């Protein structure tokens, strides 16, 4: 049974329910932010690159940047290392307009995530350095220092649940956010290399889902939570949607399905020429939430999130590719209804 005070989704009809998110909503994004190094020139492998271009990365860092690009108030809750990579991440977040007052700098020898990646579609190589990761050292004392009354929504990416003390701190943050009447969003963001095993992941995700109002994940991720196949994962997503939460079940090129008490519907994708496979999920989440905050219906928010995903995979970088409001409108005016 879910506990705490649930947040509320905005609705296409104001009479249905009060809006939980507005254009003045304050978002707190919890999880990993890091540095990405992209091999150049475009299409080069990392081992043959003549040089590398830097960018803000990490699933939570990308989502925070995406929300800030839409003009929303965003704060980041995480830990970074007291070194050049940690300082780069902090500076980049602030350049996007993200508030970093809840970002803790660790002097314990831990390291901020560093990803070496490529701008190409086939056989893309991603080398991620996550040994003694700073973000996974966030603890309950850090969470206790946050006044959740100051935020309308908490956005959690699942990597933060992969290890202690971050796991317990994240679950506590979700609990505090719900108690404060906040809208709690969970991006499953399952990365097998971060977890001791899939059974532990499934158990932990189930606890986090119970504390959430909106859960977004792909078919592989829901299969892990269901401890079974894609079919079992979809059944679970549909069951959860019949409870007091909304589920966005993503299926890659087949689009996505939204399950909720109010409605169930499918949305396709915008066909584009992709230059890399990364960043689509982060862009989808950022624009889904930004669109809900702007007063769009869930159906329209998913469409706009799908557009942002298409834009990011066809542009350099992840955080740098997050669209502005004018970028998004230009894209939507130039493209037809997404195809499933």
């Amino acid at each position: 049974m879910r506990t705490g005070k649930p947040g509320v989704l905005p609705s296409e009809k104001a009479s249905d329910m009060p809006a939980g998110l507005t254009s003045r909503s304050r978002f707190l994004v919890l999880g990993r932010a890091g540095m990405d190094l992209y091999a150049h020139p475009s299409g080069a492998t990392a081992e043959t690159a003549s040089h590398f271009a830097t960018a803000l990365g990490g699933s939570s860092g990308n989502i925070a940047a995406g929300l800030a690009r839409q003009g929303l108030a965003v704060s980041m809750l995480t830990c970074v290392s007291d070194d050049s990579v940690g300082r780069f991440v902090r500076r980049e977040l602030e350049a996007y307009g993200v508030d970093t007052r809840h970002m803790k700098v660790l002097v314990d020898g831990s390291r901020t995530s560093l990803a070496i990646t490529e701008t190409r579609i086939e056989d893309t190589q991603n080398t991620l350095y996550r040994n003694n990761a700073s973000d996974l050292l966030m603890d309950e004392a850090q969470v206790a220092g946050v006044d959740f009354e100051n935020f309308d929504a908490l956005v959690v990416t699942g990597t933060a649940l992969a290890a202690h003390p971050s796991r317990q701190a994240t679950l506590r943050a979700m609990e505090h956010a719900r108690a404060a009447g906040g809208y709690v969003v969970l991006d499953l963001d399952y990365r097998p290399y971060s977890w001791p095993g899939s059974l532990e992941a499934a158990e932990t995700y189930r606890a986090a889902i119970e504390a959430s109002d909106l859960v977004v994940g792909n078919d592989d991720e829901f299969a892990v939570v269901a401890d079974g196949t894609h079919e079992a994962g979809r059944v679970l997503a549909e069951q959860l949607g019949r409870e007091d939460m909304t589920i966005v079940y993503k299926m890659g090129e087949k689009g996505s399905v939204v399950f909720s008490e109010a409605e169930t519907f499918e949305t396709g994708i915008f066909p584009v020429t992709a230059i890399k496979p990364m960043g689509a999920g982060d862009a989808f989440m950022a624009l889904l939430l930004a669109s809900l905050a702007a007063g769009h219906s869930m159906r329209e928010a998913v469409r706009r999130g799908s557009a942002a995903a298409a834009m990011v995979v066809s542009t350099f970088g992840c955080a740098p590719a997050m669209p502005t409001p004018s970028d998004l409108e230009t894209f939507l005016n130039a493209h037809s209804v997404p195809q499933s």
Side-chain angles (χ1 to χ4, degrees), residues 56-71:
L56 173 68
S59 49
S60 295
N62 292 334
I63 291 169
L67 287 167
R69 275 268 173 94
Q70 292 294 307

Side-chain angles (χ1 to χ4, degrees), residues 238-255:
E238 190 169 1
Q239 289 174 340
L240 292 170
R242 289 196 288 267
E243 301 178 13
D244 56 341
M245 69 179 76
T246 300
I247 306 297
V248 181
Y249 181 85
K250 300 186 295 184
M251 303 175 292
E253 293 182 355
K254 295 180 181 179

Side-chain angles (χ1 to χ4, degrees), residues 74-146:
V74 190
S75 295
M76 189 82 197
L77 176 57
T78 191
C79 296
V80 293
S81 49
D82 184 23
D83 57 23
S84 58
V85 178
R87 289 189 287 275
F88 171 88
V89 170
R90 186 178 194 126
R91 186 197 68 185
E92 284 292 297
L93 283 166
E94 291 172 348
Y96 281 102
V98 178
D99 177 10
T100 60
R101 75 185 67 186
H102 296 299
M103 176 182 289
K104 185 176 182 180
V105 178
L106 300 180
V107 294
D108 56 1
S110 66
R111 290 291 178 256
T112 301
S113 291
L114 175 66
I116 298 176
T117 189
E118 302 165 341
T119 305
R120 61 192 189 120
I121 285 294
E122 295 185 3
D123 301 320
T124 309
Q125 299 179 106
N126 289 301
T127 303
L128 184 59
Y129 291 89
R130 292 278 289 158
N131 294 334
N132 194 25
S134 300
D135 56 281
L136 291 178
L137 297 178
M138 180 182 68
D139 58 23
E140 291 189 63
Q142 184 177 349
V143 169
V146 178

